[in-house]
Amino acid sequence: MPAQISAVLERMGGTVKQFTLAQRTLAIIGLAVLVLGAVALTSWMTKPSLSPLFTSLSATDASAVVDELSAAGVAYELADGGSTVMVPADQLYSMRLKLAAAGLPANADGAGYSLLDDMGMTASEFQQEVTYQRALEGELSKTISALSGVEAATVKLAIPEDSVFVSQTADPTASVFVRTAQGSTLGAEKVQAIVHLVSAGIEGMKPADVAVVDSSGAVLSTVGAETGTGLSGQQTAEYESRVQLAVQAMLDRLVGAGKSAVTLTAELDYDKTERVSEQFSATPDVPPLISATTTEEYTGRGSTSTGVLGPDNIAVPSGDADAGAYSSTTENLNNAVNKVTEQTVTAPGSVKRQSLAVAVDAAAAAKIDMNELTAMVSAAAGIDTARGDTVAVQRMAFDTTTAEAAQAALSAADAQAAKAATASLVRELAIAGAVLLIVLALLVAAVRRSRRNRRESLDIGELPLLGAGDDPLELEGPDLALAALTPPVAPDGSAIRRAEISALADEQPAEVADLLRGWLSTSGSGAGRR
């Protein structure tokens, strides 16, 4: 080993030997913390980044995927309750291809249009129709399962067969079973989204022909109901709330917050009506499309062959008839006529009638004209008197006892919370102060113990001057050790040497004591031999 390294190691060893027990303990703890921190940092830096291999897996598929990863020796982690498998990013695509070759996950390709891939050439027409229907059901189920909050979905289709022996074919219908995730519920918007998704994916299906049922057995959408009819109560409540908030916001700026109350009752029309009207109008500037004229004329002399019967049935001659003429003209015209056909469909949800009641505090609205306030409120709420809407605005005294009691309760609760927070802070400060005092006491005790261990007093007495005829062997006890330790020096250097010995004894008391003890034992054995 090189001399420089040996010197450094010896110096470090000597420094460590000078440490007290407390210093050595702290040094070991600090070294252990550094080692653990280095190990944790290295582990974190060398840990590969994970990416999702598959998500929304069933328990069977997740178990099969984990078995394949374990057999391949690939590290993995499970997330989302075991439905998501995470693998290192550098092995993501290779493992997807490998698992796909093994047919995993099975449920990912077990339904949908992939069913048509395994259909043979000898499949009958019935098998083809059933397989195609299953493929549609699988694709719709996977699409619905992708919605937020939907854990699983099942779609069943009832598609009537095409036949030439019936004049009218029944409309296709669908039923959807939905299992929501834990803690999630399907709102009206998502239910309508599922209904329109299924109806738009099947030819000839109407949104009213889709039924949606959740896992608790609640019917979310029924067959035969128009779209949105199940939401009439919610739509009415939303309309009333929207109008009330608009009127209340205006009144809060006029009379102040809490000085007014607004109530709206609306009646919405959810009947769906259709009207077809046709209008015809002539176009005078356009010539007739078809014109036909028929003329009949007749001229000649008329005669009578019998005359008029007289008495006894004897014919009386009438004489010669006058000459006559006949003429008749007929004209048929087909004029160009404008035809306008208008089909009007009234969507459900229009306002049929609404009633608005507003009460304002008498003290706050003392200087407000009630007629002007009524007109403003009517305009803000969209009141139409021709439709039968009513509005009532009254000035009256408000009962503020409940509000004052609530305010007092809130103030008391705030004061109690502040008091509890202060008490908790004082308690935590007291605990922290006590812990700090204990730590300081321990540190002071450790420092004092360290100083006491380092500074063991060593009384060496007066060092006599050694003459030429003095024999160092005649000295006994500590004098002999000091005489052997310090050779004769000039009187001027004795004080300097004594100070060096005292400093050495203060810095390294244990080593000086061991050295003196060895010298005393050696000098004692030598005196015995003499």
Side-chain angles (χ1 to χ4, degrees):
M1 183 179 295
Q4 296 179 352
I5 299 178
S6 301
V8 172
L9 294 177
E10 291 178 359
R11 192 179 300 110
M12 292 176 61
T15 304
V16 172
K17 290 181 180 179
Q18 295 178 6
F19 287 173
T20 62
L21 180 60
Q23 291 176 343
R24 292 179 181 178
T25 303
L26 292 176
I28 293 174
I29 293 175
L31 183 61
V33 170
L34 290 177
V35 172
L36 291 177
V39 171
L41 181 61
T42 304
S43 176
W44 178 76
M45 294 181 64
T46 57
K47 183 179 180 180
S49 59
L50 301 179
S51 299
L53 180 64
F54 294 110
T55 59
S56 302
L57 292 176
S58 62
T60 304
D61 288 340
S63 176
V65 169
V66 167
D67 292 340
E68 290 291 333
L69 294 177
S70 300
V74 179
Y76 65 89
E77 288 185 3
L78 298 178
D80 298 335
S83 61
T84 301
V85 181
M86 311 285 289
V87 296
D90 55 348
Q91 298 180 352
L92 176 63
Y93 299 105
S94 60
M95 292 308 302
R96 280 184 181 176
L97 294 176
K98 185 175 181 180
L99 293 175
L104 294 175
N107 290 342
D109 294 330
Y113 291 121
S114 60
L115 294 174
L116 303 176
D117 298 336
D118 300 332
M119 185 179 299
M121 297 179 59
T122 58
S124 62
E125 183 179 357
F126 175 76
Q127 291 178 340
Q128 294 177 2
E129 293 178 354
V130 171
T131 305
Y132 179 69
Q133 182 171 334
R134 289 179 56 197
L136 291 177
E137 294 174 351
E139 291 294 331
L140 291 174
S141 300
K142 290 192 296 183
T143 305
I144 296 174
S145 300
L147 293 176
S148 176
V150 178
E151 185 175 346
T154 303
V155 179
K156 299 298 182 181
L157 300 177
I159 302 177
E161 298 181 359
D162 294 334
S163 176
V164 297
F165 299 103
V166 294
S167 58
Q168 291 184 349
T169 304
D171 295 333
T173 59
S175 60
V176 182
F177 173 80
V178 178
R179 184 173 73 247
T180 59
Q182 186 176 4
S184 300
T185 57
L186 288 181
E189 295 82 4
K190 289 187 178 180
V191 173
Q192 294 302 314
I194 293 174
V195 169
H196 287 283
L197 175 66
V198 175
S199 62
I202 305 300
E203 183 181 0
M205 183 177 293
K206 300 177 182 178
D209 296 331
V210 179
V212 181
V213 182
D214 63 1
S215 57
S216 62
V219 179
L220 306 179
S221 177
T222 59
V223 174
E226 293 291 338
T227 304
T229 54
L231 309 176
S232 58
Q234 180 181 357
Q235 291 180 357
T236 303
E238 290 179 355
Y239 174 77
E240 293 175 350
S241 177
R242 184 173 66 253
V243 175
Q244 287 181 10
L245 290 176
V247 176
Q248 189 68 58
M250 182 189 67
L251 292 176
D252 289 343
R253 302 191 64 178
L254 292 177
V255 298
K259 302 296 182 179
S260 61
V262 180
T263 302
L264 177 70
T265 301
E267 182 181 353
L268 303 184
D269 186 7
Y270 292 99
D271 295 336
K272 183 179 179 181
T273 59
E274 296 184 4
R275 185 181 63 182
V276 179
S277 60
E278 294 183 354
Q279 295 180 358
F280 299 90
S281 60
T283 54
D285 298 336
V286 178
L289 299 178
I290 300 175
S291 176
T293 303
T294 303
T295 303
E296 293 182 359
E297 294 181 356
Y298 173 77
T299 58
R301 182 179 299 273
S303 62
T304 58
S305 58
T306 58
V308 180
L309 292 178
D312 299 328
N313 292 330
I314 298 173
V316 180
S318 59
D320 296 336
D322 298 334
Y326 171 79
S327 177
S328 175
T329 301
T330 303
E331 183 179 7
N332 293 327
L333 297 177
N334 290 337
N335 295 320
V337 179
N338 289 334
K339 179 182 178 182
V340 178
T341 303
E342 181 180 0
Q343 182 177 2
T344 304
V345 179
T346 303
S350 60
V351 179
K352 191 175 182 179
R353 183 178 178 275
Q354 60 182 359
S355 301
L356 179 66
V358 178
V360 293
D361 190 9
K367 299 181 180 180
I368 298 178
D369 188 358
M370 297 305 296
N371 294 328
E372 294 180 356
L373 183 60
T374 302
M376 293 177 60
V377 169
S378 300
I383 299 297
D384 187 3
T385 56
R387 188 175 52 193
D389 298 348
T390 59
V391 58
V393 181
Q394 298 293 334
R395 184 191 296 118
M396 57 186 60
F398 276 25
D399 184 11
T400 59
T401 56
T402 304
E404 293 175 356
Q407 185 64 31
L410 289 176
S411 301
D414 293 340
Q416 186 67 23
K419 185 178 180 180
T422 304
S424 177
L425 180 60
V426 171
R427 183 168 57 254
E428 293 178 357
L429 291 176
I431 295 174
V435 172
L436 182 60
L437 290 177
I438 294 173
V439 172
L440 291 177
L442 294 177
L443 290 177
V444 171
V447 170
R448 288 182 178 179
R449 190 180 300 109
S450 176
R451 290 180 178 177
R452 190 181 300 112
N453 293 334
R454 276 201 323 266
R455 297 184 178 180
E456 294 180 355
S457 59
L458 180 63
D459 188 8
I460 61 176
E462 295 291 337
L463 294 177
L465 296 177
L466 298 179
D470 296 337
D471 188 3
L473 298 177
E474 295 179 358
L475 299 176
E476 296 180 359
D479 295 338
L480 177 59
L482 292 175
L485 182 62
T486 58
V489 295
D492 297 334
S494 61
I496 299 174
R497 180 61 63 183
R498 188 182 295 110
E500 293 178 354
I501 295 175
S502 178
L504 180 62
D506 290 339
E507 294 178 357
Q508 300 179 0
E511 295 182 0
V512 172
D514 294 339
L515 180 61
L516 293 177
R517 193 177 294 109
W519 287 346
L520 290 176
S521 61
T522 303
S523 61
S525 61
R529 286 194 303 270
R530 188 179 59 178

